[in-house]
């Protein structure tokens, strides 16, 4: 039997989204309320286990009385607020942001971006072939995961997951300024020479595939990666007594990657190196 903790009751706020009255618990963001109301507001940098960074600006909406568009992922809902999610101004802003991102970053493995580009009629090609791109080869310097910074949108989610919000390893940070800003480990060294403990929690939160399992990277390179053919089974990690939940992604009778449910009260989507990467013994058929 599943027991749902009741928690502390929260006052319900009443406001409108696109002219429709809604109610949301106090402390909810506009994005929380929009999703509860079935409103599709796109976002890339928002993570349900992390504090919002307001980095991608794809989720902007109009709020009555606000001079500028506001990020729905971090703006708290207020009683009497009038929110409009699909105005011409908001749509135009999302279109330009998607064009700028898609012209400078490889978004080929970013979920839903192709749908959003079509929906907002974004035309990344209008900036021409001279648009600034990273054009950096993937960094394959270990057997567990790959860093492909050509797909990085600088959302800082990996920095937060590695830092004070979860892992407290602080192996990842932002190096450089302005156009030279990039995600890197200390002294931009190989991952094997850094403070990384290979928990893979940065992979869990990466929205674009800039960080990925080497097993996924290799299968994508070979053209055999097929999420539609994968089964997902959630089980309990057997390495220690903490009780972390693992979701095993299986394709062709092989575990191809391991994630963790974000709503699990033990892990909140986070794992250690054993839970994330220590599955080879399961399929050692030699």
């Amino acid at each position: 039997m599943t027991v749902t903790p009741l928690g502390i009751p929260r006052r319900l706020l009443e406001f409108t989204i696109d002219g429709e009255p809604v109610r949301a618990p106090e402390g909810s963001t506009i994005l929380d309320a929009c999703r509860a109301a079935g409103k599709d507001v796109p976002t890339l940098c928002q993570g349900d286990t992390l504090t919002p960074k307001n980095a991608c600006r794809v989720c902007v909406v109009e709020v009555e009385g606000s001079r500028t568009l506001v990020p729905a992922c971090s703006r708290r809902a207020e009683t009497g607020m009038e929110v409009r999610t699909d105005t011409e101004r908001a749509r135009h802003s999302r279109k330009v942001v998607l064009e700028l991102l898609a012209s400078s970053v490889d978004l080929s493995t970013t979920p839903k971006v192709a749908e959003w580009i079509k929906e907002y009629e974004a035309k990344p090609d209008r900036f021409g072939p001279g648009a600034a791109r990273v054009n950096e080869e993937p960094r394959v310097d270990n057997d567990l995961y790959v860093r492909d910074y050509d797909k990085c949108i600088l959302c800082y989610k990996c920095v937060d997951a590695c830092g004070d919000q979860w892992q407290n390893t602080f192996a990842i940070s932002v190096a450089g300024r302005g156009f030279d800003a990039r995600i890197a480990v200390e002294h931009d060294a190989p991952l094997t020479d850094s403070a990384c403990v290979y928990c893979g929690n940065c992979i869990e939160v990466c929205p674009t595939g800039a960080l990925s399992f080497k097993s996924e990277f290799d299968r994508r390179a070979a053209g055999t990666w097929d999420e539609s053919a994968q089964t997902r089974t959630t089980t309990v990690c057997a390495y220690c007594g903490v009780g972390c939940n693992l979701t095993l992604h299986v394709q062709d009778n092989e575990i191809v990657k391991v994630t963790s449910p974000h709503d699990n009260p033990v892990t909140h989507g986070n794992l250690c190196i054993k839970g994330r990467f220590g599955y080879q013994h399961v399929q050692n058929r030699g």
Side-chain angles (χ1 to χ4, degrees):
M1 182 179 70
T2 302
V3 178
T4 303
L6 294 178
I8 301 174
R10 291 193 290 172
R11 182 168 62 97
L12 290 178
L13 307 176
E14 297 184 357
F15 55 102
T16 64
I17 299 178
D18 295 332
E20 300 177 7
V22 297
R23 303 175 76 189
E26 187 175 25
S28 298
T29 63
I30 293 176
L31 184 61
D32 293 333
C34 287
R35 287 175 171 172
K39 302 285 185 180
D40 183 23
V41 176
T43 182
L44 289 172
C45 73
Q46 187 267 345
D48 57 357
T49 63
L50 298 168
T51 301
K53 261 295 192 286
N54 309 328
C56 76
R57 315 301 286 188
V58 180
C59 71
V60 290
V61 296
E62 279 199 66
V63 174
E64 184 67 27
S66 177
R67 180 177 59 85
T68 62
L69 295 171
V70 303
C73 68
S74 63
R75 178 66 180 268
R76 300 290 180 182
E78 300 173 13
T79 296
M81 180 181 277
E82 295 181 23
V83 179
R84 293 186 290 274
T85 67
D86 202 37
T87 63
E88 182 179 350
R89 186 183 180 195
R91 291 182 65 87
H92 179 71
S93 177
R94 293 173 194 161
K95 172 185 176 181
V96 173
V97 169
L98 288 169
E99 287 177 340
L100 291 170
L101 285 175
S103 68
S104 58
V105 178
D106 177 7
L107 298 179
S108 60
T109 56
T110 306
K112 301 188 73 172
V113 158
E115 300 173 24
W116 295 336
I117 288 176
K118 182 177 180 181
E119 178 183 352
Y120 295 102
E121 299 179 342
K123 296 179 175 60
D125 294 339
R126 73 186 179 92
F127 296 105
R133 298 189 70 89
V134 176
N135 290 327
E136 184 176 330
E137 290 296 316
R139 299 191 181 192
V140 187
D141 52 16
N142 67 92
D143 294 330
L144 301 182
Y145 75 94
V146 175
R147 298 175 291 163
D148 187 354
Y149 290 142
D150 207 34
K151 297 177 179 178
C152 178
I153 62 170
L154 290 175
C155 68
Y156 310 112
K157 292 170 75 174
C158 59
V159 177
D160 290 339
C162 186
D164 59 3
Q165 291 195 34
W166 286 117
Q167 190 62 26
N168 287 293
T169 297
F170 300 98
I172 309 172
S173 62
V174 180
R177 301 275 184 175
F179 286 108
D180 293 326
R182 64 194 184 281
I183 303 297
V185 298
E186 59 268 33
H187 307 297
D188 205 20
L191 208 62
T192 50
D193 296 334
S194 73
C196 177
V197 296
Y198 297 95
C199 63
N201 294 330
C202 54
I203 306 174
E204 185 76 39
V205 299
C206 180
T208 64
L211 303 172
S212 65
F213 279 75
K214 190 170 186 301
S215 53
E216 177 179 346
F217 179 82
D218 290 343
R219 281 179 174 264
R220 285 188 184 276
T224 59
W225 180 261
D226 185 4
E227 290 190 9
S228 64
Q230 294 173 11
T231 60
R232 295 167 177 79
T233 303
T234 298
T235 183
V236 178
C237 181
Y239 277 107
C240 73
V242 173
C244 298
N245 275 199
L246 313 178
T247 298
L248 308 179
H249 299 244
V250 178
Q251 180 181 332
D252 300 328
N253 204 30
E254 286 192 3
I255 300 172
V256 292
K257 72 175 184 179
V258 177
T259 58
S260 183
H262 288 198
D263 60 353
N264 183 267
V266 176
T267 61
H268 300 284
N270 299 290
L271 296 170
C272 73
I273 182 174
K274 294 179 181 179
R276 185 84 63 185
F277 295 109
Y279 55 80
Q280 290 77 9
H281 65 285
V282 177
Q283 50 203 28
N284 186 359
R285 302 180 179 90

